[in-house]
PDB file of all heavy atoms in Angstrom:
ATOM      1  N   PRO Q   2     121.555  85.186 123.667  1.00 85.00           N
ATOM      2  CA  PRO Q   2     121.683  83.823 123.128  1.00 85.00           C
ATOM      3  C   PRO Q   2     122.310  83.868 121.734  1.00 85.00           C
ATOM      4  O   PRO Q   2     122.365  84.921 121.105  1.00 85.00           O
ATOM      5  CB  PRO Q   2     120.241  83.331 123.063  1.00 85.00           C
ATOM      6  CG  PRO Q   2     119.405  84.550 122.986  1.00 85.00           C
ATOM      7  CD  PRO Q   2     120.171  85.648 123.668  1.00 85.00           C
ATOM      8  N   ARG Q   3     122.785  82.738 121.267  1.00 95.00           N
ATOM      9  CA  ARG Q   3     123.231  82.668 119.868  1.00 95.00           C
ATOM     10  C   ARG Q   3     122.095  83.146 118.979  1.00 95.00           C
ATOM     11  O   ARG Q   3     120.927  82.878 119.258  1.00 95.00           O
ATOM     12  CB  ARG Q   3     123.530  81.212 119.503  1.00 95.00           C
ATOM     13  CG  ARG Q   3     124.911  80.723 119.870  1.00 95.00           C
ATOM     14  CD  ARG Q   3     125.020  79.233 119.563  1.00 95.00           C
ATOM     15  NE  ARG Q   3     125.412  78.921 118.204  1.00 95.00           N
ATOM     16  CZ  ARG Q   3     124.803  78.018 117.434  1.00 95.00           C
ATOM     17  NH1 ARG Q   3     123.755  77.367 117.870  1.00 95.00           N
ATOM     18  NH2 ARG Q   3     125.253  77.763 116.240  1.00 95.00           N
ATOM     19  N   PRO Q   4     122.421  83.786 117.863  1.00 97.00           N
ATOM     20  CA  PRO Q   4     121.347  84.397 117.072  1.00 97.00           C
ATOM     21  C   PRO Q   4     120.512  83.415 116.244  1.00 97.00           C
ATOM     22  O   PRO Q   4     119.587  83.829 115.559  1.00 97.00           O
ATOM     23  CB  PRO Q   4     122.100  85.384 116.170  1.00 97.00           C
ATOM     24  CG  PRO Q   4     123.506  84.907 116.129  1.00 97.00           C
ATOM     25  CD  PRO Q   4     123.767  84.190 117.419  1.00 97.00           C
ATOM     26  N   ILE Q   5     120.804  82.128 116.309  1.00 98.00           N
ATOM     27  CA  ILE Q   5     120.038  81.189 115.469  1.00 98.00           C
ATOM     28  C   ILE Q   5     118.623  80.980 116.002  1.00 98.00           C
ATOM     29  O   ILE Q   5     118.398  80.962 117.222  1.00 98.00           O
ATOM     30  CB  ILE Q   5     120.778  79.837 115.344  1.00 98.00           C
ATOM     31  CG1 ILE Q   5     120.139  78.989 114.243  1.00 98.00           C
ATOM     32  CG2 ILE Q   5     120.822  79.096 116.673  1.00 98.00           C
ATOM     33  CD1 ILE Q   5     121.001  77.822 113.802  1.00 98.00           C
ATOM     34  N   GLN Q   6     117.666  80.852 115.093  1.00 98.00           N
ATOM     35  CA  GLN Q   6     116.262  80.606 115.450  1.00 98.00           C
ATOM     36  C   GLN Q   6     115.593  79.799 114.333  1.00 98.00           C
ATOM     37  O   GLN Q   6     115.950  79.957 113.167  1.00 98.00           O
ATOM     38  CB  GLN Q   6     115.475  81.925 115.485  1.00 98.00           C
ATOM     39  CG  GLN Q   6     115.670  82.765 116.706  1.00 98.00           C
ATOM     40  CD  GLN Q   6     114.843  84.028 116.586  1.00 98.00           C
ATOM     41  OE1 GLN Q   6     114.595  84.530 115.493  1.00 98.00           O
ATOM     42  NE2 GLN Q   6     114.414  84.542 117.728  1.00 98.00           N
ATOM     43  N   ALA Q   7     114.611  79.021 114.719  1.00 98.00           N
ATOM     44  CA  ALA Q   7     113.705  78.441 113.715  1.00 98.00           C
ATOM     45  C   ALA Q   7     112.348  79.122 113.876  1.00 98.00           C
ATOM     46  O   ALA Q   7     111.924  79.411 114.991  1.00 98.00           O
ATOM     47  CB  ALA Q   7     113.574  76.939 113.908  1.00 98.00           C
ATOM     48  N   LEU Q   8     111.702  79.382 112.772  1.00 98.00           N
ATOM     49  CA  LEU Q   8     110.359  79.947 112.794  1.00 98.00           C
ATOM     50  C   LEU Q   8     109.401  78.920 112.202  1.00 98.00           C
ATOM     51  O   LEU Q   8     109.715  78.295 111.181  1.00 98.00           O
ATOM     52  CB  LEU Q   8     110.283  81.229 111.948  1.00 98.00           C
ATOM     53  CG  LEU Q   8     111.317  82.313 112.198  1.00 98.00           C
ATOM     54  CD1 LEU Q   8     111.077  83.487 111.249  1.00 98.00           C
ATOM     55  CD2 LEU Q   8     111.258  82.787 113.639  1.00 98.00           C
ATOM     56  N   ILE Q   9     108.254  78.757 112.823  1.00 98.00           N
ATOM     57  CA  ILE Q   9     107.200  77.910 112.260  1.00 98.00           C
ATOM     58  C   ILE Q   9     106.090  78.847 111.777  1.00 98.00           C
ATOM     59  O   ILE Q   9     105.563  79.651 112.554  1.00 98.00           O
ATOM     60  CB  ILE Q   9     106.647  76.924 113.314  1.00 98.00           C
ATOM     61  CG1 ILE Q   9     107.773  76.072 113.902  1.00 98.00           C
ATOM     62  CG2 ILE Q   9     105.540  76.054 112.699  1.00 98.00           C
ATOM     63  CD1 ILE Q   9     108.551  75.225 112.931  1.00 98.00           C
ATOM     64  N   HIS Q  10     105.761  78.732 110.487  1.00 98.00           N
ATOM     65  CA  HIS Q  10     104.801  79.656 109.869  1.00 98.00           C
ATOM     66  C   HIS Q  10     103.417  79.012 109.849  1.00 98.00           C
ATOM     67  O   HIS Q  10     103.128  78.174 108.990  1.00 98.00           O
ATOM     68  CB  HIS Q  10     105.243  79.997 108.455  1.00 98.00           C
ATOM     69  CG  HIS Q  10     106.626  80.559 108.378  1.00 98.00           C
ATOM     70  ND1 HIS Q  10     106.937  81.821 108.814  1.00 98.00           N
ATOM     71  CD2 HIS Q  10     107.788  80.009 107.954  1.00 98.00           C
ATOM     72  CE1 HIS Q  10     108.237  82.042 108.649  1.00 98.00           C
ATOM     73  NE2 HIS Q  10     108.774  80.951 108.129  1.00 98.00           N
ATOM     74  N   THR Q  11     102.594  79.415 110.772  1.00 98.00           N
ATOM     75  CA  THR Q  11     101.292  78.748 110.900  1.00 98.00           C
ATOM     76  C   THR Q  11     100.388  79.063 109.701  1.00 98.00           C
ATOM     77  O   THR Q  11      99.620  78.202 109.270  1.00 98.00           O
ATOM     78  CB  THR Q  11     100.606  79.150 112.217  1.00 98.00           C
ATOM     79  OG1 THR Q  11     100.522  80.558 112.279  1.00 98.00           O
ATOM     80  CG2 THR Q  11     101.388  78.639 113.414  1.00 98.00           C
ATOM     81  N   ASP Q  12     100.505  80.268 109.148  1.00 98.00           N
ATOM     82  CA  ASP Q  12      99.685  80.597 107.979  1.00 98.00           C
ATOM     83  C   ASP Q  12     100.028  79.672 106.810  1.00 98.00           C
ATOM     84  O   ASP Q  12      99.145  79.250 106.052  1.00 98.00           O
ATOM     85  CB  ASP Q  12      99.872  82.072 107.583  1.00 98.00           C
ATOM     86  CG  ASP Q  12     101.326  82.433 107.286  1.00 98.00           C
ATOM     87  OD1 ASP Q  12     102.249  81.713 107.744  1.00 98.00           O
ATOM     88  OD2 ASP Q  12     101.557  83.431 106.573  1.00 98.00           O
ATOM     89  N   ALA Q  13     101.301  79.334 106.671  1.00 98.00           N
ATOM     90  CA  ALA Q  13     101.718  78.461 105.575  1.00 98.00           C
ATOM     91  C   ALA Q  13     101.209  77.033 105.783  1.00 98.00           C
ATOM     92  O   ALA Q  13     100.836  76.352 104.821  1.00 98.00           O
ATOM     93  CB  ALA Q  13     103.241  78.473 105.447  1.00 98.00           C
ATOM     94  N   LEU Q  14     101.180  76.579 107.026  1.00 99.00           N
ATOM     95  CA  LEU Q  14     100.638  75.237 107.305  1.00 99.00           C
ATOM     96  C   LEU Q  14      99.178  75.166 106.863  1.00 99.00           C
ATOM     97  O   LEU Q  14      98.758  74.213 106.186  1.00 99.00           O
ATOM     98  CB  LEU Q  14     100.747  74.923 108.798  1.00 99.00           C
ATOM     99  CG  LEU Q  14     102.159  74.656 109.330  1.00 99.00           C
ATOM    100  CD1 LEU Q  14     102.209  74.839 110.841  1.00 99.00           C
ATOM    101  CD2 LEU Q  14     102.613  73.249 108.948  1.00 99.00           C
ATOM    102  N   THR Q  15      98.420  76.172 107.240  1.00 98.00           N
ATOM    103  CA  THR Q  15      96.999  76.191 106.871  1.00 98.00           C
ATOM    104  C   THR Q  15      96.846  76.262 105.354  1.00 98.00           C
ATOM    105  O   THR Q  15      96.011  75.548 104.758  1.00 98.00           O
ATOM    106  CB  THR Q  15      96.305  77.393 107.541  1.00 98.00           C
ATOM    107  OG1 THR Q  15      96.530  77.315 108.953  1.00 98.00           O
ATOM    108  CG2 THR Q  15      94.815  77.393 107.265  1.00 98.00           C
ATOM    109  N   HIS Q  16      97.668  77.091 104.731  1.00 98.00           N
ATOM    110  CA  HIS Q  16      97.632  77.219 103.275  1.00 98.00           C
ATOM    111  C   HIS Q  16      97.932  75.879 102.590  1.00 98.00           C
ATOM    112  O   HIS Q  16      97.235  75.460 101.668  1.00 98.00           O
ATOM    113  CB  HIS Q  16      98.647  78.279 102.830  1.00 98.00           C
ATOM    114  CG  HIS Q  16      98.874  78.313 101.360  1.00 98.00           C
ATOM    115  ND1 HIS Q  16      98.138  79.111 100.510  1.00 98.00           N
ATOM    116  CD2 HIS Q  16      99.729  77.609 100.559  1.00 98.00           C
ATOM    117  CE1 HIS Q  16      98.540  78.902  99.263  1.00 98.00           C
ATOM    118  NE2 HIS Q  16      99.500  77.998  99.264  1.00 98.00           N
ATOM    119  N   ASN Q  17      98.975  75.206 103.050  1.00 99.00           N
ATOM    120  CA  ASN Q  17      99.385  73.956 102.396  1.00 99.00           C
ATOM    121  C   ASN Q  17      98.344  72.854 102.600  1.00 99.00           C
ATOM    122  O   ASN Q  17      98.117  72.031 101.706  1.00 99.00           O
ATOM    123  CB  ASN Q  17     100.743  73.503 102.928  1.00 99.00           C
ATOM    124  CG  ASN Q  17     101.860  74.468 102.555  1.00 99.00           C
ATOM    125  OD1 ASN Q  17     101.723  75.275 101.640  1.00 99.00           O
ATOM    126  ND2 ASN Q  17     102.962  74.393 103.282  1.00 99.00           N
ATOM    127  N   LEU Q  18      97.723  72.846 103.773  1.00 98.00           N
ATOM    128  CA  LEU Q  18      96.652  71.872 104.005  1.00 98.00           C
ATOM    129  C   LEU Q  18      95.496  72.114 103.027  1.00 98.00           C
ATOM    130  O   LEU Q  18      94.922  71.172 102.471  1.00 98.00           O
ATOM    131  CB  LEU Q  18      96.167  71.968 105.455  1.00 98.00           C
ATOM    132  CG  LEU Q  18      95.087  70.971 105.842  1.00 98.00           C
ATOM    133  CD1 LEU Q  18      95.630  69.546 105.820  1.00 98.00           C
ATOM    134  CD2 LEU Q  18      94.511  71.304 107.219  1.00 98.00           C
ATOM    135  N   ALA Q  19      95.211  73.390 102.784  1.00 98.00           N
ATOM    136  CA  ALA Q  19      94.147  73.724 101.824  1.00 98.00           C
ATOM    137  C   ALA Q  19      94.526  73.260 100.424  1.00 98.00           C
ATOM    138  O   ALA Q  19      93.669  72.834  99.642  1.00 98.00           O
ATOM    139  CB  ALA Q  19      93.874  75.232 101.841  1.00 98.00           C
TER     140      ALA Q  19
END
Side-chain angles (χ1 to χ4, degrees):
R3 275 175 87 227
I5 192 165
Q6 282 180 330
L8 309 179
I9 304 300
H10 304 288
T11 55
D12 58 339
L14 288 160
T15 305
H16 169 91
N17 294 341
L18 182 67

